[in-house]
Amino acid sequence: MAAEIVNPLNHSTTGSRAAESNVADEPFDPAFALHRGGKMAVQATVPIRDKDDLSLAYTPGVAKVCSAIAENPELVHDYTWKSQVVAVVTDGTAVLGLGDIGPEASLPVMEGKAILFKQFGGVDAVPIALATTDADEIVETVVRLAPSFGGINLEDISAPRCFEIERKLQERLDIPVFHDDQHGTAVVTLAALRNAAKLSGRTLGDLRGVISGAGAAGVAIAKFLLEAGIGDIAVADRKGIVSRDREDLTDVKRELAGITNKAGVSGPLEAALAGADLFIGVSGGTVPEPAVASMAPGAYVFAMANPNPEVHPDIAHKYASVVATGRSDYPNQINNVLAFPGIFAGALQVRASRITEGMKIAAANALADVVGDELAADYVIPSPFDERVAPAVTAAVAAAARAEGVARR
């Protein structure tokens, strides 16, 4: 029987003539067809073929395992799915380019994230959309859910609450907590930048960069690049460069002003771009071409807004030696899927208690190394479909976790 294609604007599933008429009038949309019924399901890993199987998988056999875990809680990692599964948690306040659309509307994205975990890292993941935007309520809810999971991936939670939520969860839980919008983006950006610098014979310490966007991704990228050794980095929000002389800064931006912008630039984004070696866009909007032209010779432009990059690649290529975007139809796609599956796979493999800066830097270095001798201006970051990516990142993260003393096996 052919699959029924239902008009997404018609919530009736009764199969009435009216509904059929509406369906007939609607053009076929493959996106709705693919999402029909959701994109994932729960599947058993053991067979239940007869009463003997049933007695082992459930009562009475399961009682032996429960009792053993009660006596030695660490056994939960060996005899349940805990050490292989991640909770993908959102409140639906910062979903892709859609913004605050609520928990129900966020579920297709969270399902998508879960299948990316499985496809690219072999990690099972469960989408969890919460009906609250209160930071403390989110923290309390996740803490109570945590016994069922080996890690927590925070997703599409708006800034600045995302910083507080991640920090509080890291303080209270002994499993990895990772806000992918921040750290996944930062890891892939660093990997691409390392290779761009290598291509032109420079080091990170030689570079002065500018980030457009002071939300979750912009703040995390700035801090991560400083940790990795970039020479200087300035961050701009809608009101201009985040600098110490501004009196309208949030606590997060005030902290950022204290560690960035050594050059002391103030004013609009364009002022910081003059003579800069690097532009990173995580904000949307459009950077005027004259501002791009004012950058240093051989500059790098990473314009990652989707679907419209802050600097169109055709313009960027006029002035930059390396151009990257967030889009899959241009070379050098900065895509978080290059990072988070392998990072969690490595952390879960060694039962890490948290994800450290060292583990993230190891992930970025491993990702950059996958490119190897193929390094070129249009190939500073591998494709998400490169089968070498996840194993390389997984191994590097696991080794870093052991070296930093957060591995438990």
Side-chain angles (χ1 to χ4, degrees), residues 11-23:
H11 300 290
S12 172
T13 58
T14 61
S16 68
R17 290 183 181 274
E20 290 172 0
S21 175
N22 286 340
V23 171

Side-chain angles (χ1 to χ4, degrees), residues 269-270 273 286-295 301 310-320:
L269 171 73
E270 292 84 345
L273 279 178
T286 301
V287 178
E289 183 172 348
V292 181
S294 75
M295 296 178 69
V301 171
E310 294 88 348
V311 182
H312 192 280
D314 291 344
I315 293 175
H317 278 295
K318 292 181 182 181
Y319 311 103

Side-chain angles (χ1 to χ4, degrees), residues 46-401:
V46 296
I48 306 294
R49 297 161 299 196
D50 52 36
K51 65 181 182 65
D52 291 334
D53 288 343
L54 183 59
S55 69
L56 289 173
Y58 201 55
T59 186
V62 72
K64 298 178 182 179
V65 180
C66 292
S67 297
I69 295 172
E71 292 180 12
N72 180 5
E74 283 300 306
L75 292 178
V76 69
H77 296 283
D78 297 309
Y79 294 108
T80 73
W81 77 345
K82 181 179 175 74
S83 64
Q84 304 170 65
V85 67
V86 170
V88 180
V89 179
T90 190
D91 64 357
T93 55
V95 180
L96 295 178
L98 303 174
D100 186 354
I101 59 175
E104 290 85 0
S106 76
L107 265 178
V109 177
M110 300 309 115
E111 287 184 2
K113 197 76 171 189
I115 64 176
L116 294 180
F117 265 108
K118 188 66 172 180
Q119 176 70 29
F120 293 101
V123 173
D124 289 307
V126 177
I128 297 176
L130 302 179
T132 179
T133 60
D134 181 89
D136 288 334
E137 288 184 357
I138 291 172
V139 170
E140 292 300 327
T141 302
V142 174
V143 167
R144 284 162 173 73
L145 290 170
S148 295
F149 299 99
I152 306 295
N153 185 85
L154 300 174
E155 191 76 22
D156 293 349
I157 299 174
S158 63
R161 294 173 312 114
C162 60
F163 305 114
E164 176 189 359
I165 290 167
E166 183 188 38
R167 175 181 57 79
K168 288 183 175 179
L169 286 173
Q170 288 173 336
E171 290 171 353
R172 294 183 60 178
L173 297 178
D174 65 347
I175 58 175
V177 177
F178 187 83
H179 185 206
D180 185 53
D181 302 323
Q182 292 184 62
H183 310 300
T185 308
V187 165
V188 183
T189 301
L190 175 59
L193 183 57
R194 281 201 184 283
N195 276 340
K198 181 179 179 181
L199 189 65
S200 55
R202 290 189 275 186
T203 67
L204 293 185
D206 298 329
L207 306 178
R208 180 174 72 83
V210 180
I211 298 174
S212 175
V219 171
I221 291 170
K223 290 182 176 180
F224 196 51
L225 292 184
L226 287 170
E227 180 77 18
I230 195 169
D232 191 14
I233 192 89
V235 182
D237 62 12
R238 291 183 180 89
K239 297 181 179 180
I241 303 301
V242 175
S243 56
R244 297 183 185 186
D245 59 353
R246 281 180 49 180
E247 298 179 354
D248 60 343
L249 301 179
T250 64
D251 290 343
V252 171
K253 291 179 183 179
R254 192 173 299 109
E255 178 193 1
L256 194 63
I259 60 175
T260 60
N261 193 18
K262 295 176 186 176
V265 182
S266 59
L269 171 73
E270 292 84 345
L273 279 178
D277 304 292
L278 166 68
F279 169 77
I280 295 173
V282 284
S283 66
T286 301
V287 178
E289 183 172 348
V292 181
S294 75
M295 296 178 69
Y300 318 129
V301 171
F302 293 179
M304 298 188 284
N306 263 319
N308 300 310
E310 294 88 348
V311 182
H312 192 280
D314 291 344
I315 293 175
H317 278 295
K318 292 181 182 181
Y319 311 103
S321 62
V322 175
V323 176
T325 71
R327 292 175 48 150
S328 60
D329 54 346
Y330 290 103
N332 296 328
Q333 183 190 19
I334 307 292
N335 190 330
N336 289 14
V337 77
L338 289 163
F340 69 82
I343 289 174
F344 268 100
L348 293 176
Q349 185 181 96
V350 298
R351 296 181 189 168
S353 58
R354 59 194 177 96
I355 295 172
T356 66
E357 291 300 299
M359 291 162 71
K360 289 184 286 184
I361 288 176
N365 291 342
L367 184 54
D369 288 344
V370 168
V371 171
D373 295 337
E374 301 171 74
L375 180 62
D378 61 353
Y379 186 54
V380 297
I381 198 76
S383 162
F385 295 99
D386 189 323
E387 295 181 354
R388 300 172 295 175
V389 168
V393 174
T394 299
V397 168

